[in-house]
Amino acid sequence: MLTSPLIRELVDAKLPPIKGFIETSLLDWTGHICAVLFLPYCNLRCPYCHKHQLVLKPDTLETVSLEAILQRLQPLKDSVDGICITGGEPTIHRGLPALLKTIHEAGFKTKLDTNGTQPETLHYLISEKLVDCVAMDVKGPLNDATYARCAGVFVPVSIIKKSIELLMAANVPSMFRCTATPTLLAESDVYLLAEELKDLRIEGIDSPNAALSLTVQNFNPADPMEPDLKNIKPLTKEALSRMQDEVNRILG
Ligand code: SF4
């Protein structure tokens, strides 16, 4: 699957810059207490993105040294289970494998948040055992038009499907997430995505990732990348919960 020039790039690259650090989080890795590192830039432009400073103007953010982060985390080793690498989009950085390796060598597990647009890099990270958990954002049902609307740029969904299939077949815990932004995704779109994930799982051969999950996240109108979305009301707690129940029912 991998071309050798990509492997060379991944192996040779320098560590990516870190543009944000949270010492402990209970929210970023279900069932774990983790630190969180934020990497800059992203290849998508999701209109609801609330990390657009990190995506579009990371130079305005201070760079945090990995050494300083690891030194700070060493005394917390008994309470911090691992480190979540998020963004932006971490997999667009060729130095991501080096970062994950350094974190493992420091004695911490790694969790990766990704938009799934770099399946070859994802494959490399999994095959080299550099990630202990992966959460993939799936922007909407797997057709090019809807995906482009939710991602803000054209993304061939064949690429997204590759990443989904890779995670379903991989021997590493993984989960999928989708942000329900009322003007971008209808309720029926979320259910269609759940059906598509279910079908992809059924098509997968001997998938060890039997516990397929899709978490429906609510849209946050505070400072989205597309300013017009500030006026859109997020889903009510009841509507979100109903949607999640139906998604869980579909996925069994
Ligand atoms: S929400 Fe979209 S644009 Fe923002 S970081 Fe995630 S994938 Fe990139």
Side-chain angles (χ1 to χ4, degrees), residues 42 44-46 48-49 51 55 87-89 115 137 139 225:
C42 184
L44 302 189
R45 293 291 182 269
C46 310
Y48 59 81
C49 179
K51 292 195 260 180
V55 170
E89 174 49 38
N115 62 23
D137 284 336
K139 305 298 175 183
M225 185 168 321

Side-chain angles (χ1 to χ4, degrees), residues 83-96:
I83 299 181
C84 171
I85 311 298
T86 190
E89 174 49 38
T91 61
I92 59 174
H93 293 275
R94 291 297 190 243
L96 180 61

